[in-house]
Amino acid sequence: MTLFSRRHFIRDAALGGGAAMVPGWARAVSAGIAAPLPSLSGEEIALRVESLHGMIDGRPAHRIGINGGSPAPLLRLREGQRVRIAVTNALDEETSIHWHGLLLPFQMDGVPGISFPGIPAGKTFTYDFPVIQSGTYWYHSHSGLQEQMGHYGPIVIDPAGPDPVRSDREHVVVLSDHSAMHPHRIFAKLKQQGGYFNYQKQTLAGLLAGRDQKLEDRIDWGRMRMDPSDVSDVTGSTYTYLVNGHGPADHWTGLFGPGETVRLRLVNASAMTNFNVRLPGLAMTVVQADGQNVRPVTVDELQIAVAETYDVLVRPAEPRAYALVAEAWDRSGMARATLAPRAGLTAPVPPLRRRPLATMTDMGMGAMAGMDHGAMKHDGPAAADCPPEHAAMGHCTPGAPAGGAAMPAMSHKMRDFANAPGLPKTVVVQTVSPMPMDRMGDPPQGLADVGHRVLVYTDLVALARNPDGRAPTRQLQIHLTGNMERYMWAFDGVKMNAVTAPIPFRQGERVRVTLVNDTMMAHPIHLHGHFFELVTGHGDHAPRKHTINVAPGGTATFDLTADALGDWAFHCHLLYHMHAGMMQVVTVRPDAAGAAA
């Protein structure tokens, strides 16, 4: 992001409005910006959070940044060191920084109201913690909606010993979404109409051309008051998609030498956008997920959900330019960059592909859509763990054996549980998935028929054996719920501001957690202070992550060792979903008997 004075900002605001009508990815590109992000390292680091005015794709942009830039500087740390980071708040409101994916004392986690009081305007707070891991991570505000305005930056932690990933050079690639509309105004419009930003609804022309649903299917979905084109709440109608703070026309460029192995550290720092990433003509070898090394797996495309990181290797053999395409998951726009042997080269950018439509499987009717009935069973709470409000929602059945959740009766009509007996009045449940299924082996929404290799979670295998191989001693099921008409989101039907108690864990206990997505939208769920192992059949080499994208109408299961004392945020990382209530607190306390479970 190029920064200018306030006078230049006002002048350009008056002169530059006409460009807003052309999507950024379709505009003529500049000669290319080949500069990497500024970097800070050492044991003492100073960060200043401030308002910035600058340009994105030739248009004025107001942002919140750090040390004069957005994204914030790359923090380059080393495993085994201790770091003190003094954060000065130059805004006229409270701010904070959360160190996403880092394992540290909960008082340093940076979530106002949970782990610390926040950083008041004009004050400085010093984060002080040991660095006990390596990999690719990032940091961002956990105050209000500042993250949407550019308050984020990448972290790279070099391992204390030899790095198992060998490359000749690397580039940090931070993906994000930017809107000229203030985030509180975006949220207000979503509260007024959940599909306000969806300009890709089905049309008569789409019906006649065979691009959209058949008439009978459209009638059925209409009766259920469901819109299959509602994939993303905030879209390219207001967003410009960025690479390292630059729009598609700014043409950020990463350099390489022919024959080199190039490591791309991909970070999705967006507020609301999952990206489908590919480099036409180059295969990507995934070597790290959420900062954790995995056995190399080669793909042609991957979806990086909000808050995830992936490290990939590419090996461009020819001395030519390659497009790096990050297409928004609803295909309403794209971020675009270039890998090239020198600045100024460009590569053909593929057009946006046809936008995806939700299916019966996305509605939680997987078996009815012809899927394997044997995969429908998922771990659920035992009879003793089935509270009345969950029984009323069909989440479990009192008296049912542990390990198998009761399955609601099949119905083509999504059931409305808003008035079910026993539910609190604060319930946020519009629909419940009748037959949710484990979808961690499925390609992400819209990528099932692209004709090339797509990364799925079951492809990921940890490079090293997991640190805790114990079997879980307890099972927990959590439902992801929402009401699009009122734009309310929650866990188990209860918004954050209506929660009466945190989700409790005993220090050291091993718990199997199943997330059940009762909505028609994917949710990237993030747990602070911990890594967990995905239950995907890889035993003691299960991949370890801190964020899991739960497919619509599906389930995702992970095993968690609650080894970090304190209070930790647990939330959907779609910013407006978290803001609307899909967040709770996980508390880890010593075992009452004085020993870990």
Side-chain angles (χ1 to χ4, degrees):
M1 178 178 177
T2 306
L3 303 179
F4 292 87
S5 69
R6 179 174 176 81
R7 183 191 314 174
H8 285 106
F9 174 78
I10 294 173
R11 180 201 68 189
D12 291 331
L15 298 178
M21 300 302 294
V22 183
W25 61 270
R27 284 189 219 122
V29 299
S30 70
I33 298 170
L37 292 171
S39 178
L40 297 173
S41 60
E43 297 183 352
E44 300 281 343
I45 294 174
L47 301 178
R48 177 183 173 88
V49 183
E50 56 194 339
S51 292
L52 306 173
H53 296 290
M55 303 290 286
I56 294 176
D57 272 0
R59 293 176 292 174
H62 172 215
R63 312 204 72 193
I64 293 177
I66 293 180
N67 290 16
S70 176
L74 164 66
L75 301 186
R76 192 98 198 193
L77 308 176
R78 179 166 291 277
E79 182 183 12
Q81 77 165 97
R82 190 172 190 94
V83 66
R84 286 171 50 86
I85 305 176
V87 180
T88 299
N89 182 6
L91 303 174
D92 57 5
E93 62 185 28
E94 178 188 283
T95 194
S96 59
I97 291 182
H98 163 58
W99 314 99
H100 187 99
L102 268 60
L103 304 176
L104 35 64
F106 85 95
Q107 299 92 337
M108 297 291 113
D109 192 50
V111 182
I114 296 178
S115 56
F116 88 136
I119 309 174
K123 301 296 183 180
T124 297
F125 179 84
T126 299
Y127 295 86
D128 186 341
F129 55 88
V131 180
I132 64 172
Q133 64 203 95
S134 62
T136 302
Y137 304 96
W138 63 297
Y139 60 108
H140 60 85
S141 172
H142 232 290
S143 298
L145 300 174
Q146 294 173 359
E147 186 182 343
Q148 172 73 92
M149 297 188 71
H151 188 337
Y152 52 77
I155 301 173
V156 171
I157 305 175
D158 294 309
D163 193 333
V165 179
R166 301 295 180 88
S167 62
D168 299 302
R169 75 170 76 199
E170 69 176 41
H171 295 293
V172 175
V173 179
V174 180
L175 303 172
S176 60
D177 43 29
H178 167 75
S179 176
M181 187 180 296
H182 193 279
H184 286 291
R185 188 177 176 207
I186 291 176
F187 186 71
K189 290 186 177 297
L190 291 171
K191 290 292 287 184
Q192 293 166 3
Q193 180 184 346
Y196 179 89
F197 295 100
N198 182 8
Y199 285 21
Q200 299 193 105
K201 294 180 182 294
Q202 298 189 99
T203 63
L204 176 61
L207 173 68
L208 297 176
R211 294 192 303 268
D212 294 341
Q213 288 179 321
K214 296 178 181 179
L215 181 59
E216 57 269 28
D217 293 333
R218 193 178 297 191
I219 292 172
D220 286 343
W221 282 68
R223 289 196 187 107
M224 296 182 290
R225 300 174 70 181
M226 298 289 178
D227 182 358
S229 69
D230 189 12
V231 172
S232 180
D233 290 346
V234 191
T235 71
S237 65
T238 189
Y239 276 152
T240 299
Y241 300 110
L242 310 181
V243 174
N244 291 346
H246 300 289
D250 289 336
H251 188 203
W252 183 86
T253 301
L255 302 180
F256 70 86
E260 288 184 334
T261 296
V262 182
R263 182 176 188 167
L264 302 178
R265 297 181 181 264
L266 305 174
V267 178
N268 188 347
S270 65
M272 293 293 289
T273 308
N274 296 340
F275 288 103
N276 298 326
V277 179
R278 67 194 196 275
L279 292 96
L282 283 179
M284 298 181 290
T285 300
V286 179
V287 293
Q288 197 177 94
D290 283 356
Q292 304 297 292
N293 293 320
V294 297
R295 294 176 185 171
V297 55
T298 300
V299 297
D300 299 298
E301 184 167 8
L302 63 82
Q303 182 173 106
I304 182 170
V306 174
E308 288 187 315
T309 70
Y310 283 105
D311 285 30
V312 303
L313 300 179
V314 296
R315 298 177 176 86
E318 302 176 42
R320 65 177 180 88
Y322 297 85
L324 192 161
V325 176
E327 195 174 49
W329 56 334
D330 69 332
R331 295 174 179 155
S332 62
M334 67 171 68
R336 175 260 193 184
T338 300
L339 289 184
R342 64 181 184 277
L345 296 181
T346 61
V349 178
L352 290 169
R353 295 172 293 188
R354 183 184 302 177
R355 56 93 165 90
L357 293 175
T359 66
M360 296 291 283
T361 301
D362 298 324
M363 293 176 65
M365 300 181 183
M368 294 166 59
M371 299 182 73
D372 179 13
H373 285 58
M376 288 186 293
K377 183 178 178 180
H378 55 76
D379 294 320
D385 297 324
C386 185
E389 62 270 20
H390 286 199
M393 294 165 67
H395 292 176
C396 52
T397 302
M407 184 171 60
M410 286 194 298
S411 170
H412 283 276
K413 187 178 189 323
M414 293 294 283
R415 300 188 290 158
D416 190 335
F417 284 84
N419 299 310
L423 286 176
K425 294 187 181 300
T426 53
V427 69
V428 183
V429 179
Q430 186 175 28
T431 59
V432 169
S433 297
M435 305 180 73
M437 302 176 65
D438 184 340
R439 301 190 65 188
M440 289 194 288
D442 292 356
Q445 194 173 28
L447 295 181
D449 56 357
V450 292
H452 54 234
R453 298 166 295 182
V454 174
L455 184 73
V456 297
Y457 282 135
T458 51
D459 289 334
L460 300 176
V461 182
L463 189 63
R465 182 174 285 107
N466 300 148
D468 189 350
R470 294 176 298 157
T473 58
R474 182 162 69 96
Q475 298 180 38
L476 176 65
Q477 187 181 88
I478 298 173
H479 284 246
L480 317 181
T481 59
N483 186 317
M484 275 298 292
E485 292 182 2
R486 301 172 64 189
Y487 203 77
M488 297 165 63
W489 301 94
F491 290 126
D492 285 331
V494 183
K495 294 172 59 178
M496 174 65 175
N497 61 6
V499 171
T500 58
I503 301 172
F505 291 90
R506 299 187 309 277
Q507 184 184 14
E509 76 168 323
R510 187 85 167 144
V511 182
R512 174 158 294 184
V513 179
T514 296
L515 303 175
V516 182
N517 191 348
D518 285 323
T519 78
M520 287 175 52
M521 182 171 288
H523 297 280
I525 303 299
H526 172 51
L527 174 61
H528 289 219
H530 297 78
F531 280 91
F532 46 74
E533 291 81 49
L534 302 187
V535 179
T536 52
H538 296 300
D540 59 5
H541 282 73
R544 306 186 73 217
K545 295 186 96 273
H546 53 60
T547 302
I548 174 69
N549 195 37
V550 188
T555 68
T557 300
F558 60 80
D559 289 341
L560 168 70
T561 299
D563 56 3
L565 282 172
D567 297 331
W568 304 97
F570 174 61
H571 61 92
C572 177
H573 224 288
L574 295 176
L575 184 61
Y576 299 110
H577 288 193
M578 180 180 70
H579 194 65
M582 192 177 276
M583 178 174 179
Q584 287 195 25
V585 176
V586 163
T587 181
V588 180
R589 295 289 183 266
D591 190 293

